[in-house]
Each structure stands twice: as structure tokens, then as C-alpha cells.
Amino acid sequence: IQPMQLNKRAIHLGARVFFLVFLVKVVIALLRWRRSCKKPKGHPGTAKLRAHLADFHRIKPGEFEQRFIATPALAQRKFDFVIVGAGSAGCVLARRLSENPDFSVLLIEAGGEAQNSPALSQPQQFVAGWRSEVDWCYRSTPQPQLHGRQIDLERGKTLGGSSAINYLMWVRGGREDFDRWATECGCGDEWSFENVKQNFCNLETVTRANLGGSAEGDQQCELRGTDGPIIPHIVHPNLPEAEAFISAHEQLNIPRNFDYNGPTQFGVGYTQLSSHCGRRSDAFTAFIEPVLASRPNLTVVSEAFVRRLRMEKTSNPDRPFRAVAVELEISTGDVIAVYGDREIILSAGAINTPQILMLSGIGDRRHLESHSIPTLLDIPAVGNHLQDHPVIVISALVPESKIEEVKAKRADSSGLSTVAFVKSPVQDSRDEIRGSTSACDLEWILLSRLPPALVTKFALFEFERKIPGLRTNPWLSPVFRFLSDLVEGSIPKPDTQKLFERFIAIGAAYNGPLSRGSVRLASNDPHEQPLIDVALLREPSDLEACVWAVKKIREVLRSSAFTHYAAELPGPMAGISKSKSIQDFYNANDDQLREFIKQNAGTTWHYSCTARMGAPDAPPTETVCDPNLRVRQVENLRIADCSIMPFVVSGNTNAAAMMIGDKCADLILKEFRNAKK
């Protein structure tokens, strides 16, 4: 038969048979490999460990509670304030507003309630919520600066929001950040550090014991709160590798800092985590749960998906539209509207808040028209100016002779032991040009004890990257479960256990990016995930700051105080070495480091700035809301989450998000008091 005469159907059938045979061979090979990975017969603890691992990467359906699920009856009620998003800012705001018994407050969450699940409540399992039922499971658009890689973008979809699945690190950011918001960004004195300091203090309770019991802690506590729901504290002091990490920085003239949330951020010290009595302190359990029973004026609903806002025209030429209701899709499939007589506040985060605005007709006219959405207000800044902190992880292995020394003190550690805040020459140059002082732009964290079960999570992430829909597609989910069991089967192997006991890593985050991305609609369907361009390392100077950070970390690893904790690499470093020799990393030139960063950089999930606040007379291409957090040209609509940041703070964003919620409550209550007078 001539090639041109071959039947296409026969070709397709032959290809399918070949693929099926190949797949069977792969499965047989995997089964043989799995059998070789099992522990010797009679080894104690295998069944218990496997049961623990099975729970680690999934939340059981029975662990979702039913207390707050929205019903159609909700549409028959009216509220003074409707808050969209029960995350870090939304929970703080709802607690503050509901202190007034005359205010009726509705707090809406798209996700369910799983706060009592061990997978979420235990700090040691801080990655358990990632890519799970309590995560929006977003993914970035391909990033040209990272060789076209797409980055997983975690966002909490549960009561507590991202505070329920984050790293638990309690970092305010640099005081210089807020002073620059006030002056350079036109936000006014209300947003200077001196004026947001009290909002931070309202959130927390800090004592000398929280800061490790040092005498220096007394001086630091003067700038900290004494009666707030969050009790940030050091959970694992005096780990031998952590003390060596601090000493290494002191050798490089980076001082020990007993409280990076105190007078200065610069220095190295132990991390402060938002957990209490061995449990995660997420925003819902800390701020809402303790007061819910005593406040009949506070209503919480879960599993209520916001489709859009409903708007009405007004006779006010400065604010021609008024937000009157939130359109919800509840778990029964019904679409209902709930009305906010006084105000509607969006606290849905820097991805979902601009998405809701655009679906409601507020955004860039050309973009909205491309998706057949009628434009009510042409505000191009909606969804623009997205910022995030890129991160690079550098791993090493502790010598086998050191395993027992570090193992004994690691038992109760979450792994995030020590953190350094440093300023790069890149930031110094920018300060010179600007004529102002900025905060530390680099933050690196020592991860010195990670649970072996983490390999399950990260291995499955890799599988999902290669096969989209592996977990969610009903035809592929059996394969996903098989791969889960396969990966878990390798954990009990003694060599794997030993590898994790030796593992340390330093995660370096760049907290001063100039790069700006965007959030855009993929369609006018509210359920379709938006297009998220995080623009990591788009600005060349951001990449150069990361190169400087990696070189500085190299100095830390080579210092006499720490070198005996970094014996070799766990594997080859992409772009640098094909061997496990740590000397290859030490000898790498700047071009090799740039390539390593491009191949390995990820995100810290600190999305911000997509609905920026600024001066009232700022152009609509630059800002979405004014310093009172009111959306331009709209009555009764505010935003309170990280999307309002003019630029991202120099640190983890959870504490700053809560501060924004507390500040928004101040602004609303101040206006209410003035109107009453």
C-alpha cells in the first residue's frame, strides 16, 4: 500500500494500540519499583505512617462542617454591611464593625469550613491546603522571564482565606513602606507608619516570653500590641543549625534582631509565627469564632460564590453609580441577591477583587467590551499593577555526623526557624534616585526541618504540572490516586527518611520588585479562572537583586559558623552543576546564577496592588480607590485587602492584610460618627 493511500482511521487505531502497550509497560515498571521501595516485612510503624501520609495531602469530606452554608432564605434579609471574603482582612473588618450592636453585618465566603481538620489546624502541615479543596488552585500565565514556566498560585478558599493555608509567618513589613505610601503614593498621613502602628497593635498580643524571653524583648514590646487575638511567638528557639545561621550573619556584619516587627526590620533572628497552643491562628478562628455566639448581628455564610455586584444609577455626577447588592450562587444552585444598605466591602483578595469588579462592569473599557460586558465605569487600573515577591530556594544536606545533633531538637519544629532581612545595593541605588529611604528588599528564611510527608505534596505538584487536570478530571483521578500511593510507598524507605533528616534549605524572597503584572478575565463566565500574569523578574534590576541575594547566601553557607551544616547538594543545581558538589555552587559565575534563578524562581503568593489606592485626583490608569478605600465614582463600595496596596510591603502580607481590615473599620466608623454628629 502506498503511504498516501493509508487510511487515517487505521493510523489513529495503531497509535492508540502502541500507546496502550507502552502505558501497560510503564505501569508494570512502576509497580515493580514500588515493591522495591517498601520497608522490610515486620518494620514497625509502616501502616501508621502511611495512614498519616494519606491524610496529609487531602482533607476528608467529613471534616467540612455545615454550620454556615448559605440557603435561599438569605435573600429575604437586608444588612447594613456586606463583606465579600472571609479572609485575613474580611474577618478583622467583620469583627470590628459588629462590635456596634446597631450594625447588621454579613460575612460571605466562597469556600467551606474545615478549620478543625488536622490538615489545616496543625502548623507542621502548613502545605496541606495547597492544591486542595480549600485552595482556588490558580496558575499563572506562562512567564517569559522564567523560560515560559507557569507558576502555581495558591489562594485560600475557606473561612480564614489564605491565612488558613499560609506559612504562618507574622511580618508587618518595613515602617518605610507605610511612610512611602503616605508621601510618595499620595495616600496621606492616615497611612503613615505612625498611624497604622495602632492598627497593627490592635491585632496582636506580644510579651517578652513571645520573643524568646530576652531582656532586649522588653524594649521591642513597646511597639507591639498587648490585647489582640493573634499571639505571634517564637516556636523553636535554640536549634543548633538556627544559632549557627544567626552567627554566620553576624560574621557578615548583619546583626541579630530580636524582633523584626520592632524598631527596625534589618538583621537576623527567629521567626514569629501566628499559631497558639500548637494550632494555627487563622483569621476566622482568631477573630470571628470567639465572638460569634455573642453577636446576633453578625452573620457568616460559606459556600456562597459571588458572581458580580448589582449597581444602580444615582443623580450624583461625582459618583454616578451605587453598589446595592451582591449576587451570589449558593450550593443549592440558586442565584440570589443580598443587599447592603450602608456599604458593600470587597475583601476577596488581589485576584478575586478585581475579577468581581470587572464582571460588574468596572474596569478597562476595551477589555470588558472584548468579553461582552457592559462598561459602567472605565477604570483601567482595575486588575493592573499586580505585584508579587519572587523566591529562590537553595538546598543543602547536613553531614551524616550531624544528624543526631539536629534531630533531637527538631521534633516540634514547623521548619521555618530563622529569618534575615537585608537591603541590597539595587535598593540603595533606587533610594538614591528617588531621594527617599525604603525598607529591606530581601528576606531569606532557613528551613531546617520539614516533615517527610512533604515529598508527597511536591511530587504530586510535579505530576499535575505534566498532566493538567490529573487530580480533578474523573477519568484521570484514579491515576492520581495510584501515583499518590506510589509516592507515599517510597517514604518509609530508610534512605528517604535519612535524606529528609539531613535536608536544610534557604528560601530567598525579593521583597522590593518593580515588576508589575495583571489580572484579566478569560471570559464573562464568573467560574472561569482569570488570566494571572505575575510578571516575575520582568524588570532586569529585579533579577540583579536576586543574583546579589544568592551570592550573599553563598557567603552565609561558606562562613566558618555554618559551613559544617552544608556538606553537599541534594542533587544537581539547574544551570550550575550536574553533580552534587557544593563547590560547583560556590564557584558559579553571575551568568550561571542568573540561569539558575530563571529555572527555579517561584512565588511567595503575596499578590497585591490590583486595585491600588492613591490620591483622590490620581488618574484612573493608576488607582482604583481613594485613601478612604472608596472605589472611584461609586457610592457605598469600598475595598479592604492587599489589592489596595500602592506597592507590596517588604515582607509576608498576612499581617498587613489584617491591618488593612482594621484600618478600613476605623475609616467607616469615623465617617459614621461624623455623620451622626
Side-chain angles (χ1 to χ4, degrees):
I1 302 174
Q2 295 299 319
M4 295 298 292
Q5 297 174 326
L6 285 175
N7 188 296
K8 287 185 177 180
R9 183 177 294 178
I11 293 175
H12 291 164
L13 181 62
R16 289 176 183 175
V17 171
F18 174 80
F19 177 77
L20 184 61
V21 171
F22 174 75
L23 186 61
V24 169
K25 288 185 175 181
V26 169
V27 170
I28 291 172
L30 288 173
L31 287 172
R32 287 174 177 169
W33 177 77
R34 182 190 179 193
R35 190 159 46 243
S36 71
C37 290
K38 288 184 178 179
K39 279 189 177 183
K41 187 175 180 181
H43 193 288
T46 302
K48 182 178 178 182
L49 178 61
R50 288 178 59 77
H52 166 71
L53 293 172
D55 288 341
F56 186 88
H57 65 271
R58 61 178 74 94
I59 299 169
K60 296 177 181 177
E63 292 174 348
F64 282 92
E65 299 185 44
Q66 312 292 313
R67 292 187 298 169
F68 307 116
I69 294 179
T71 65
L74 188 67
Q76 301 171 12
R77 301 175 59 186
K78 283 192 175 183
F79 300 87
D80 292 314
F81 297 96
V82 175
I83 302 170
V84 176
S88 298
C91 287
V92 175
L93 177 59
R95 178 181 173 121
R96 285 286 311 277
L97 293 179
S98 62
E99 288 174 356
N100 186 334
D102 295 331
F103 289 159
S104 57
V105 180
L106 173 65
L107 181 61
I108 299 170
E109 172 54 44
E113 179 192 6
Q115 270 54 45
N116 290 320
S117 166
L120 292 188
S121 62
Q122 296 176 6
Q124 291 87 348
Q125 299 200 30
F126 59 89
V127 301
W130 302 354
R131 317 310 284 179
S132 75
E133 298 83 350
V134 296
D135 183 0
W136 285 93
C137 296
Y138 290 136
R139 183 164 288 171
S140 76
T141 57
Q143 298 294 292
Q145 305 81 1
L146 307 183
H147 298 315
R149 288 189 291 123
Q150 289 180 273
I151 308 297
D152 288 337
L153 307 175
E154 318 304 342
R155 291 297 297 160
K157 189 182 180 182
T158 182
L159 293 172
S162 295
S163 71
I165 67 170
N166 69 356
Y167 274 104
L168 295 91
M169 287 193 64
W170 189 254
V171 181
R172 290 179 173 183
R175 59 170 55 205
E176 298 90 344
D177 295 329
F178 308 105
D179 290 337
R180 288 181 58 208
W181 285 8
T183 55
E184 295 177 24
C185 303
C187 299
D189 194 54
E190 191 75 35
W191 289 94
S192 67
F193 178 74
E194 195 57 37
N195 282 313
V196 302
K197 179 177 67 176
Q198 186 55 51
N199 298 106
F200 278 117
C201 290
N202 292 343
L203 307 172
E204 62 184 14
T205 296
V206 177
T207 65
R208 175 174 173 172
N210 296 141
L211 301 179
S214 66
E216 291 85 350
D218 285 342
Q219 300 170 7
Q220 314 287 354
C221 286
E222 294 176 4
L223 295 174
R224 306 299 298 272
T226 57
D227 196 28
I230 299 289
I231 308 176
H233 63 294
I234 294 168
V235 294
H236 33 56
N238 303 321
L239 291 175
E241 66 269 38
E243 280 297 321
F245 187 74
I246 292 172
S247 298
H249 283 78
E250 290 177 321
Q251 289 179 358
L252 299 174
N253 296 319
I254 298 172
R256 182 188 291 257
N257 188 345
F258 290 89
D259 182 11
Y260 50 77
N261 291 314
T264 181
Q265 193 183 44
F266 176 65
V268 59
Y270 284 102
T271 56
Q272 299 171 30
L273 303 184
S274 54
S275 62
H276 184 55
C277 297
R279 287 180 61 88
R280 174 189 289 272
S281 295
D282 66 83
F284 186 80
T285 56
F287 288 90
I288 299 298
E289 193 74 67
V291 302
L292 198 56
S294 61
R295 295 187 184 177
N297 61 323
L298 174 58
T299 302
V300 176
V301 294
S302 62
E303 300 186 29
F305 179 82
V306 174
R307 296 175 60 87
R308 65 185 181 96
L309 303 177
R310 292 189 180 178
M311 316 285 284
E312 287 182 355
K313 287 187 176 180
T314 72
S315 57
N316 182 352
D318 295 327
R319 295 187 179 270
F321 290 94
R322 174 188 174 93
V324 295
V326 177
E327 190 177 286
L328 297 177
E329 183 179 326
I330 59 178
S331 57
T332 60
D334 295 295
V335 176
I336 63 174
V338 290
Y339 288 81
D341 287 347
R342 291 184 183 273
E343 290 195 15
I344 294 169
I345 303 113
L346 293 179
S347 295
I351 294 174
N352 296 85
T353 284
Q355 181 188 27
I356 292 169
L357 288 173
M358 288 186 282
L359 290 168
S360 307
I362 302 173
D364 183 88
R365 182 184 298 277
R366 288 177 299 178
H367 178 61
L368 299 184
E369 288 176 350
S370 71
H371 293 299
S372 304
I373 298 173
T375 304
L376 301 183
L377 293 168
D378 183 13
I379 306 178
V382 173
N384 271 342
H385 307 290
L386 172 64
Q387 280 196 305
D388 194 6
H389 294 147
V391 65
I392 306 99
V393 178
I394 298 162
S395 305
L397 296 179
V398 174
E400 291 193 27
S401 60
K402 289 279 184 182
I403 289 179
E404 292 305 319
E405 174 190 334
V406 300
K407 187 177 174 183
K409 293 190 177 183
R410 285 180 174 183
D412 297 322
S413 168
S414 69
L416 308 174
S417 61
T418 326
V419 62
F421 290 93
V422 180
K423 199 168 182 180
S424 74
V426 171
Q427 194 77 325
D428 288 333
S429 298
R430 291 175 184 169
D431 285 352
E432 234 178 278
I433 295 169
R434 271 194 304 257
S436 63
T437 303
S438 56
C440 295
D441 61 329
L442 289 167
E443 171 187 357
W444 49 73
I445 307 157
L446 177 66
L447 299 94
S448 57
R449 183 267 182 192
L450 296 176
L454 283 180
V455 75
T456 306
K457 222 28 168 178
F458 289 115
L460 294 176
F461 286 174
E462 290 302 318
F463 285 133
E464 284 194 272
R465 286 193 185 98
K466 303 296 183 187
I467 311 174
L470 180 62
R471 179 170 56 87
T472 55
N473 187 299
W475 293 98
L476 294 174
S477 57
V479 179
F480 180 81
R481 288 195 293 272
F482 168 77
L483 291 172
S484 300
D485 291 340
L486 186 69
V487 174
E488 289 168 3
S490 72
I491 298 292
K493 195 173 181 182
D495 288 348
T496 309
Q497 290 276 25
K498 186 177 289 186
L499 182 67
F500 270 88
E501 289 169 0
R502 296 181 61 195
F503 179 84
I504 61 169
I506 299 174
Y510 181 52
N511 290 347
L514 290 185
S515 303
R516 299 269 185 174
S518 63
V519 175
R520 288 287 178 263
L521 298 177
S523 74
N524 59 12
D525 180 359
H527 290 282
E528 188 165 358
Q529 290 197 355
L531 304 174
I532 307 163
D533 178 11
V534 288
L536 294 182
L537 305 179
R538 181 164 294 170
E539 286 287 335
S541 60
D542 291 355
L543 176 60
E544 294 312 304
C546 291
V547 170
W548 187 88
V550 172
K551 290 163 74 173
K552 202 70 177 176
I553 290 170
R554 193 162 61 180
E555 291 182 39
V556 171
L557 294 177
R558 298 180 74 169
S559 67
S560 60
F562 199 80
T563 186
H564 50 286
Y565 285 101
E568 60 178 336
L569 302 173
M573 294 184 78
I576 291 180
S577 168
K578 294 183 179 180
S579 73
K580 295 170 66 174
S581 170
I582 201 166
Q583 289 300 323
D584 291 342
F585 172 53
Y586 292 159
N587 297 331
N589 60 38
D590 285 5
D591 286 338
Q592 289 176 305
L593 295 180
R594 289 186 191 97
E595 183 60 25
F596 168 72
I597 291 167
K598 289 177 181 179
Q599 291 195 37
N600 291 277
T603 170
T604 50
W605 310 301
H606 298 159
Y607 329 108
S608 57
C609 310
T610 51
R612 300 165 77 202
M613 69 170 167
D617 58 352
T621 55
E622 293 297 319
T623 65
V624 176
C625 52
D626 64 20
N628 288 317
L629 306 184
R630 293 175 298 204
V631 175
R632 305 169 66 105
Q633 300 178 291
V634 184
E635 290 183 359
N636 289 15
L637 180 61
R638 294 190 206 237
I639 299 173
D641 56 36
C642 288
S643 67
I644 65 96
M645 292 181 177
F647 59 82
V648 65
V649 295
S650 304
N652 306 65
T653 52
N654 185 40
M658 291 184 180
M659 178 277 290
I660 291 167
D662 197 73
K663 175 61 74 175
C664 184
D666 280 350
L667 297 171
I668 292 172
L669 295 173
K670 181 180 178 180
E671 288 184 15
F672 174 73
R673 286 191 297 268
N674 291 340
K676 200 172 181 180
K677 289 177 183 177

